[in-house]
PDB file of all heavy atoms in Angstrom:
ATOM      1  N   SER S 409     -33.755-102.779 -29.161  1.00 94.00           N
ATOM      2  CA  SER S 409     -33.816-103.301 -27.802  1.00 94.00           C
ATOM      3  C   SER S 409     -33.937-102.203 -26.762  1.00 94.00           C
ATOM      4  O   SER S 409     -34.186-102.465 -25.593  1.00 94.00           O
ATOM      5  CB  SER S 409     -32.547-104.128 -27.494  1.00 94.00           C
ATOM      6  OG  SER S 409     -31.382-103.319 -27.625  1.00 94.00           O
ATOM      7  N   SER S 410     -33.771-100.951 -27.174  1.00 96.00           N
ATOM      8  CA  SER S 410     -33.858 -99.824 -26.226  1.00 96.00           C
ATOM      9  C   SER S 410     -34.286 -98.573 -26.979  1.00 96.00           C
ATOM     10  O   SER S 410     -34.251 -98.528 -28.199  1.00 96.00           O
ATOM     11  CB  SER S 410     -32.517 -99.595 -25.534  1.00 96.00           C
ATOM     12  OG  SER S 410     -31.516 -99.264 -26.465  1.00 96.00           O
ATOM     13  N   ILE S 411     -34.639 -97.557 -26.227  1.00 96.00           N
ATOM     14  CA  ILE S 411     -34.947 -96.242 -26.767  1.00 96.00           C
ATOM     15  C   ILE S 411     -33.929 -95.262 -26.250  1.00 96.00           C
ATOM     16  O   ILE S 411     -33.712 -95.139 -25.038  1.00 96.00           O
ATOM     17  CB  ILE S 411     -36.377 -95.792 -26.408  1.00 96.00           C
ATOM     18  CG1 ILE S 411     -37.381 -96.720 -27.117  1.00 96.00           C
ATOM     19  CG2 ILE S 411     -36.605 -94.351 -26.870  1.00 96.00           C
ATOM     20  CD1 ILE S 411     -38.837 -96.440 -26.760  1.00 96.00           C
ATOM     21  N   VAL S 412     -33.237 -94.585 -27.160  1.00 97.00           N
ATOM     22  CA  VAL S 412     -32.161 -93.673 -26.811  1.00 97.00           C
ATOM     23  C   VAL S 412     -32.597 -92.240 -27.039  1.00 97.00           C
ATOM     24  O   VAL S 412     -33.125 -91.903 -28.134  1.00 97.00           O
ATOM     25  CB  VAL S 412     -30.902 -93.992 -27.664  1.00 97.00           C
ATOM     26  CG1 VAL S 412     -29.789 -92.981 -27.334  1.00 97.00           C
ATOM     27  CG2 VAL S 412     -30.431 -95.398 -27.426  1.00 97.00           C
ATOM     28  N   TYR S 413     -32.376 -91.378 -26.040  1.00 98.00           N
ATOM     29  CA  TYR S 413     -32.735 -89.989 -26.116  1.00 98.00           C
ATOM     30  C   TYR S 413     -31.440 -89.160 -26.247  1.00 98.00           C
ATOM     31  O   TYR S 413     -30.475 -89.396 -25.512  1.00 98.00           O
ATOM     32  CB  TYR S 413     -33.476 -89.533 -24.869  1.00 98.00           C
ATOM     33  CG  TYR S 413     -34.787 -90.264 -24.613  1.00 98.00           C
ATOM     34  CD1 TYR S 413     -34.811 -91.520 -24.005  1.00 98.00           C
ATOM     35  CD2 TYR S 413     -36.003 -89.693 -24.983  1.00 98.00           C
ATOM     36  CE1 TYR S 413     -36.015 -92.182 -23.763  1.00 98.00           C
ATOM     37  CE2 TYR S 413     -37.218 -90.356 -24.762  1.00 98.00           C
ATOM     38  CZ  TYR S 413     -37.192 -91.582 -24.142  1.00 98.00           C
ATOM     39  OH  TYR S 413     -38.391 -92.247 -23.904  1.00 98.00           O
ATOM     40  N   THR S 414     -31.444 -88.181 -27.135  1.00 97.00           N
ATOM     41  CA  THR S 414     -30.242 -87.337 -27.321  1.00 97.00           C
ATOM     42  C   THR S 414     -30.616 -85.865 -27.300  1.00 97.00           C
ATOM     43  O   THR S 414     -31.746 -85.483 -27.705  1.00 97.00           O
ATOM     44  CB  THR S 414     -29.539 -87.644 -28.644  1.00 97.00           C
ATOM     45  OG1 THR S 414     -30.398 -87.363 -29.720  1.00 97.00           O
ATOM     46  CG2 THR S 414     -29.079 -89.107 -28.701  1.00 97.00           C
ATOM     47  N   ILE S 415     -29.700 -85.045 -26.840  1.00 97.00           N
ATOM     48  CA  ILE S 415     -29.801 -83.606 -26.932  1.00 97.00           C
ATOM     49  C   ILE S 415     -28.503 -83.114 -27.546  1.00 97.00           C
ATOM     50  O   ILE S 415     -27.401 -83.399 -27.023  1.00 97.00           O
ATOM     51  CB  ILE S 415     -30.012 -82.946 -25.545  1.00 97.00           C
ATOM     52  CG1 ILE S 415     -31.357 -83.405 -24.950  1.00 97.00           C
ATOM     53  CG2 ILE S 415     -30.009 -81.424 -25.673  1.00 97.00           C
ATOM     54  CD1 ILE S 415     -31.607 -82.896 -23.531  1.00 97.00           C
ATOM     55  N   ASN S 416     -28.587 -82.421 -28.625  1.00 95.00           N
ATOM     56  CA  ASN S 416     -27.407 -81.936 -29.374  1.00 95.00           C
ATOM     57  C   ASN S 416     -26.444 -83.091 -29.655  1.00 95.00           C
ATOM     58  O   ASN S 416     -25.224 -82.929 -29.602  1.00 95.00           O
ATOM     59  CB  ASN S 416     -26.703 -80.830 -28.570  1.00 95.00           C
ATOM     60  CG  ASN S 416     -27.525 -79.552 -28.545  1.00 95.00           C
ATOM     61  OD1 ASN S 416     -28.443 -79.352 -29.306  1.00 95.00           O
ATOM     62  ND2 ASN S 416     -27.179 -78.673 -27.597  1.00 95.00           N
TER      63      ASN S 416
END
Side-chain angles (χ1 to χ4, degrees):
S409 60
S410 62
I411 294 176
V412 178
Y413 300 82
T414 62
I415 298 175
N416 292 343

